[in-house]
Amino acid sequence: MLKVWAEQVRDLSYNIEDCLDEFKVHVESQSLAKQLMKLGERHRIAVQIRNLKSRIEEVINRNTRYSLIKPISSITTEDERDSYLEDARNRSGSNTDESELVGFAKTKDELLKLIDVNTNDGPAKVICVVGMGGLGKTTLARKAYENKEHMKNFSCCAWITVSQSFDRKEILKQMIRQLLGADSLDKLLKEFSEKLLVQVQHLADHLVEGLKEKRYFVVLDDLWTIDAWNWIHDIAFPKINNRGSRIIITTRDAGLAGRCTSESLIYHLEPLHIDDAIHLLLAKTNIRLEDMENDEDLGSIVTKLVKRCGYLPLAILTIGGILATKKIMEWGKFYRELPSELESNPSLEAMRRMVTLSYNHLPSHLKPCFLYLSIFPEDFEIQRGRLVDRWIAEGFVRATDGVNIEDVGNSHFNELINRSLIQPSKVSTDGVVKRCRIHDIMRDIIVSISREENFVLLTREKITVVAEESIRHLAFHGSKCSKICLEWNHLRSVTLFGDRPVGRTPALCSPQFRMLRVLDLEDAKFKFTQNDIRNIGLLRHMKYLNFARASTIYTLPRSIGKLQCLQ
């Protein structure tokens, strides 16, 4: 019931925004005399507003009646679920056998060289391991942590999982227990139990005092925010400790790593090389390399599978575990059905959660920017300027004092890169990312999230019937979607990557697209003509219009002057 209610709130917010946009365009595009002549149009908008007010009251009453929003319990439940999955991830990092870490030997040696355990003086050195979820950051840090030869150089060590939500007291208790010993913690708790409840500062003071003369090695796994790091760094570690201590941080956020330490102490973990990825999948499925080399079909499907996994160790091991239970002749079918398997197969829940954890942690202004990437086809190279311009047209980017809107949009783009959610594919000589891509497995999952939230609908060649009513963004990846049942007048963007749509799809400049903000035809595979844009003036909310490549248009119609929102 809560999910249904949340969907109603989301759709209602979209409808309110549509209504306000209609009113704004109507007022700004008409002289006073024409406004008075179009009282019918204004009456229609007034009726919409009255209906929306009734729907708002209904939604509020439903929440009150059923007590749908329960912030404390809801957050607790979600945190417990996240904590369970993070624990599972840590166990997988700890239990992964060295023989399974194909391609990790070099990275482990490089990290150990960066840690430099033999330098046993100077202030504590902070080393960050950075990369997207599923790359094996935890596993790599765990192997360094469990290296007995190197750990004998330190008087104490601790492995602390920070995660998105953590209890400050529990973090400090864990650190005391691991670094100073369980007896030390028990003695402290007993001492304060006789006087008053132990406070965070009591634990911190005890920890700092105990570490002053020790050379410690601490791993802070899965750090998400700079606030968490600042708190731990300021309260839990001695200000002066010149014994060559080491603090290892694993995080998905390169920007966060840059604020924790210097660039020279950041280790950027990359996806596996294709050969290592194939070897890892074969090892997990107990298939010999010779068998793959002698079977062309098997070689092809294995190559496709590791590519679909983005060469991510977690994805490959998870997929390999499932394939090990199937006959080789079934692998092709599994590959084709992988997007739907990600939604329904419990064995893939950890992999899906790998992406949804990152998505849930995004600030609200970045969530629609990230989901918007699901519009683009698999393996598509997305141009930075095109993407940012579209975000601005959709209203995802807001100008701030002293910063123009394009710079804000570019900062959103850079933040998604820093969070390892998109990968640079073309970088200029001055280090500016010009184009990007998104991993196949991540794209499959955000397509699923977008569909759940009625955000993006994709049409493909083999789909003949689609029934979505309140979708906001439509992308044609094929031309044979003959029956699309949706409310066209709610669409905010239409993007074409294939041939001209057939069937019951309205014309490109149909009045049914009256709320359209973005019409992107740059990658359309057909030539559109003067007649296609004859009624472009009907799309009064249009802000972004792109038909750069595939047009035979020799002049713009006069009605384009009515598009006063065009950027």
Side-chain angles (χ1 to χ4, degrees):
M1 183 175 286
L2 177 60
K3 185 176 180 180
V4 172
W5 182 81
E7 290 174 357
Q8 291 173 344
V9 172
R10 182 175 59 244
D11 289 341
L12 182 57
S13 68
Y14 280 135
N15 292 337
I16 291 171
E17 190 175 0
D18 287 347
C19 184
L20 292 174
D21 282 351
E22 279 204 89
F23 182 73
K24 182 180 177 182
V25 168
H26 174 72
V27 170
E28 291 181 352
S29 64
Q30 303 288 345
S31 66
L32 180 59
K34 288 185 177 179
Q35 288 179 45
L36 292 173
M37 291 173 63
K38 294 203 172 184
L39 291 176
E41 183 70 12
R42 301 185 74 177
H43 176 71
R44 184 181 66 82
I45 295 174
V47 171
Q48 281 186 24
I49 293 173
R50 186 162 58 246
N51 291 339
L52 287 170
K53 287 176 68 176
S54 298
R55 288 174 60 191
I56 291 171
E57 291 174 1
E58 183 182 337
V59 166
I60 293 172
N61 291 336
R62 186 173 292 115
N63 175 53
T64 303
R65 188 182 313 124
Y66 297 108
S67 300
L68 295 172
I69 297 181
K70 299 177 182 178
I72 296 176
S73 61
S74 297
I75 291 171
T76 301
T77 301
E78 186 69 16
D79 287 348
E80 286 174 351
R81 188 182 181 197
D82 288 352
S83 177
Y84 168 78
L85 288 161
E86 285 155 358
D87 288 345
R89 179 177 58 81
N90 289 328
R91 288 196 299 273
S92 70
S94 178
N95 296 335
T96 302
D97 189 81
E98 189 83 27
S99 63
E100 284 191 304
L101 297 178
V102 178
F104 264 59
K106 181 182 177 183
T107 57
K108 188 180 76 170
D109 290 342
E110 290 172 345
L111 178 61
L112 289 173
K113 184 178 179 181
L114 198 60
I115 293 172
D116 186 20
V117 297
N118 294 320
T119 303
N120 57 8
D121 58 5
K125 184 188 291 187
V126 180
I127 298 98
C128 289
V129 180
V130 177
M132 68 180 294
L135 270 179
K137 301 182 297 297
T138 297
T139 300
L140 180 61
R142 178 72 70 179
K143 295 308 171 185
Y145 179 76
E146 293 177 349
N147 189 307
K148 294 179 180 179
E149 183 65 26
H150 287 83
M151 287 303 101
K152 69 182 183 182
N153 293 284
F154 298 89
S155 55
C156 56
C157 58
W159 180 283
I160 306 297
T161 300
V162 184
S163 304
Q164 292 189 38
S165 56
F166 64 91
D167 184 291
R168 294 187 173 193
K169 282 187 181 180
E170 286 305 313
I171 284 281
L172 292 172
K173 287 179 182 178
Q174 284 185 51
M175 293 182 73
I176 293 171
R177 186 179 293 111
Q178 294 184 50
L179 292 167
L180 306 181
D183 291 343
S184 178
L185 177 60
D186 292 341
K187 182 179 178 181
L188 178 68
L189 295 177
K190 183 178 180 181
E191 176 185 340
F192 278 97
S193 67
E194 298 173 356
K195 301 176 182 178
L196 70 168
L197 288 175
V198 64
Q199 301 297 321
V200 166
Q201 195 59 49
H202 299 142
L203 295 167
D205 291 344
H206 182 78
L207 178 61
V208 169
E209 185 63 31
L211 291 179
K212 276 184 179 178
E213 302 301 323
K214 292 181 180 291
R215 188 185 188 203
Y216 54 84
F217 187 100
V218 176
V219 177
L220 299 176
D221 185 38
D222 202 23
L223 189 71
W224 286 85
T225 67
I226 190 64
D227 288 340
W229 162 246
N230 287 337
W231 179 81
I232 295 172
H233 181 257
D234 292 344
I235 202 170
F237 295 112
K239 294 293 185 289
I240 299 175
N241 178 288
N242 291 314
R243 297 182 175 274
S245 297
R246 297 290 184 267
I247 303 171
I248 313 300
I249 293 172
T250 70
T251 180
R252 303 183 185 196
D253 192 337
L256 170 61
R259 298 171 71 180
C260 295
T261 191
S262 62
E263 183 61 36
S264 62
L265 294 176
I266 298 176
Y267 187 82
H268 295 273
L269 188 58
E270 300 293 336
L272 294 174
H273 185 273
I274 183 171
D275 291 337
D276 291 328
I278 288 173
H279 278 91
L280 182 58
L281 183 63
L282 293 179
K284 191 66 179 177
T285 54
N286 297 314
I287 301 294
R288 296 182 306 168
L289 182 62
E290 303 84 65
D291 295 335
M292 191 190 83
E293 291 173 343
N294 295 330
D295 187 333
E296 187 175 333
D297 292 338
L298 177 59
S300 174
I301 195 62
V302 166
T303 303
K304 288 179 180 178
L305 280 163
V306 296
K307 179 182 177 298
R308 193 60 174 256
C309 290
Y311 309 110
L312 303 178
L314 173 63
I316 293 170
L317 289 171
T318 305
I319 295 295
I322 295 173
L323 292 176
T325 66
K326 296 179 178 291
K327 297 178 180 178
I328 292 178
M329 65 182 67
E330 297 175 320
W331 287 16
K333 182 175 182 287
F334 177 81
Y335 169 77
R336 291 189 295 274
E337 295 177 352
L338 186 54
S340 60
E341 288 282 341
L342 282 166
E343 296 182 32
S344 59
N345 192 327
S347 299
L348 298 175
E349 172 64 17
M351 206 158 66
R352 178 179 169 84
R353 198 65 183 165
M354 173 188 77
V355 177
T356 54
L357 269 174
S358 292
Y359 171 70
N360 291 338
H361 187 67
L362 285 173
S364 57
H365 66 275
L366 286 181
K367 285 184 176 179
C369 295
F370 181 52
L371 288 187
Y372 204 68
L373 297 168
S374 62
I375 286 173
F376 298 93
E378 190 175 308
D379 290 331
F380 192 84
E381 195 173 42
I382 306 168
Q383 187 179 12
R384 176 194 190 115
R386 178 184 183 183
L387 181 61
V388 170
D389 287 345
R390 289 188 56 157
W391 283 346
I392 293 171
E394 298 283 7
F396 300 158
V397 181
R398 305 289 183 186
T400 58
D401 292 340
V403 183
N404 67 51
I405 197 165
E406 289 80 10
D407 288 341
V408 176
N410 284 324
S411 73
H412 289 3
F413 182 89
N414 291 334
E415 194 164 353
L416 290 178
I417 288 178
N418 285 338
R419 290 171 180 266
S420 306
L421 293 173
I422 56 178
Q423 284 68 49
S425 60
K426 183 178 180 181
V427 182
S428 66
T429 53
D430 56 350
V432 177
V433 177
K434 295 295 186 182
R435 296 175 183 270
C436 70
R437 280 194 173 95
I438 184 165
H439 278 304
D440 290 350
I441 203 77
M442 183 169 287
R443 180 184 173 276
D444 288 339
I445 295 170
I446 67 168
V447 164
S448 172
I449 297 172
S450 292
R451 187 166 57 247
E452 286 178 4
E453 298 194 2
N454 282 348
F455 190 71
V456 174
L457 174 65
L458 307 180
T459 70
R460 301 179 182 86
E461 289 289 341
K462 295 181 181 179
I463 297 177
T464 56
V465 178
V466 180
E468 296 284 348
E469 294 185 353
S470 55
I471 212 77
R472 299 293 159 170
H473 306 282
L474 179 65
F476 288 93
H477 292 184
S479 62
K480 298 177 182 177
C481 194
S482 59
K483 293 180 181 179
I484 305 178
C485 304
L486 51 80
E487 295 182 19
W488 301 99
N489 58 359
H490 284 317
L491 283 175
R492 297 186 177 190
S493 78
V494 172
T495 312
L496 275 75
F497 295 97
D499 297 327
R500 185 185 292 272
V502 298
R504 301 177 183 178
T505 307
L508 291 176
C509 296
S510 166
Q512 289 180 270
F513 288 144
R514 61 188 177 84
M515 297 307 300
L516 209 62
R517 298 178 180 183
V518 171
L519 180 59
D520 194 340
L521 309 173
E522 180 172 341
D523 294 283
K525 301 296 189 292
F526 64 94
K527 297 289 183 181
F528 47 96
T529 66
Q530 199 73 31
N531 191 53
D532 286 322
I533 65 165
R534 180 166 49 89
N535 296 320
I536 191 76
L538 296 173
L539 309 181
R540 305 291 283 274
H541 298 272
M542 183 69 65
K543 295 183 178 182
Y544 178 94
L545 181 61
N546 183 0
F547 43 74
R549 297 181 185 175
S551 70
T552 56
I553 296 171
Y554 51 87
T555 183
L556 294 174
R558 293 182 62 183
S559 64
I560 200 169
K562 296 180 181 180
L563 306 185
Q564 297 189 9
C565 298
L566 204 59
Q567 297 174 349

